[in-house]
Amino acid sequence: ILSRGPAGEPPAWQDRWMPFHRKDYEFPRPPCNSFLAAAVAKHPRAVDLACVFLVLPNGMGPRFGERTYPYILLVVDAGSGMIVGFEMLSVEDQPFDALIASVPDLFLKLCDKAKLRPRTLACAGRSTAALLDAPARALRIEAEACHSLPALDAVMASMPF
């Protein structure tokens, strides 16, 4: 597993490979803001959504200095393929635990900004489904982990990273 951690004196971020231990990983399931979920639930327009939360494999920063690997949250209308919302997150702005805890509310804010409520929520993988479990339950839908999401795959293929 490729990981990133502090190393050396003075401490600097360094990439390194870690051994992979075969065991089931329990993905985090952070709570969501119930008031925000209630606001999203009131929107009359219901849409089938596809969503992914992932770390980009492209480091950002100086070519030979410290590099940061940003995370993205991408929400797409599964029917039309239109982007509902996109956010880039970084551990430079907040600690990793806070970044992960912010994902459910960020998803709800993207839906609220687009003035829609999810009718269904198809997630690219178990980790995204786990992160969006709380807002899905609050909206009385299921965050379903899927292997193939054509609308989301098309949008991801068109992005320059």
Side-chain angles (χ1 to χ4, degrees):
I1 297 174
L2 180 61
S3 69
R4 185 163 178 78
E9 280 297 324
W13 289 101
Q14 180 181 23
D15 297 336
R16 60 179 160 236
W17 287 97
M18 309 256 317
F20 178 73
H21 301 289
R22 186 79 182 145
K23 67 177 183 177
D24 287 337
Y25 176 75
E26 189 66 36
F27 293 105
R29 295 176 183 271
C32 69
N33 181 313
S34 59
F35 295 110
L36 189 54
V40 170
K42 290 179 182 175
H43 291 304
R45 190 168 137 231
V47 177
D48 297 323
L49 296 180
C51 187
V52 64
F53 176 77
L54 56 86
V55 63
L56 292 180
N58 307 43
M60 299 176 79
R63 183 178 168 117
F64 296 108
E66 279 191 31
R67 299 178 68 87
T68 300
Y69 293 88
Y71 292 80
I72 63 164
L73 176 64
L74 175 63
V75 183
V76 174
D77 180 331
S80 69
M82 297 214 28
I83 296 174
V84 170
F86 175 86
E87 282 291 329
M88 190 174 286
L89 304 145
S90 171
V91 291
E92 288 185 341
D93 302 329
Q94 57 191 332
F96 180 74
D97 291 343
L99 183 145
I100 292 298
S102 73
V103 173
D105 288 344
L106 186 56
F107 168 76
L108 290 170
K109 286 176 186 176
L110 292 174
C111 291
D112 193 42
K113 185 176 180 181
K115 303 278 188 250
L116 59 83
R117 66 181 160 82
R119 179 177 29 231
T120 62
L121 180 57
C123 300
R126 293 185 311 156
S127 59
T128 303
L131 285 171
L132 298 179
D133 181 58
R137 280 187 289 114
L139 297 169
R140 293 184 171 91
I141 60 173
E142 181 184 351
E144 181 183 355
C146 300
H147 292 289
S148 176
L149 299 167
L152 186 63
D153 294 341
V155 170
M156 291 292 291
S158 70
M159 293 197 161
F161 41 75

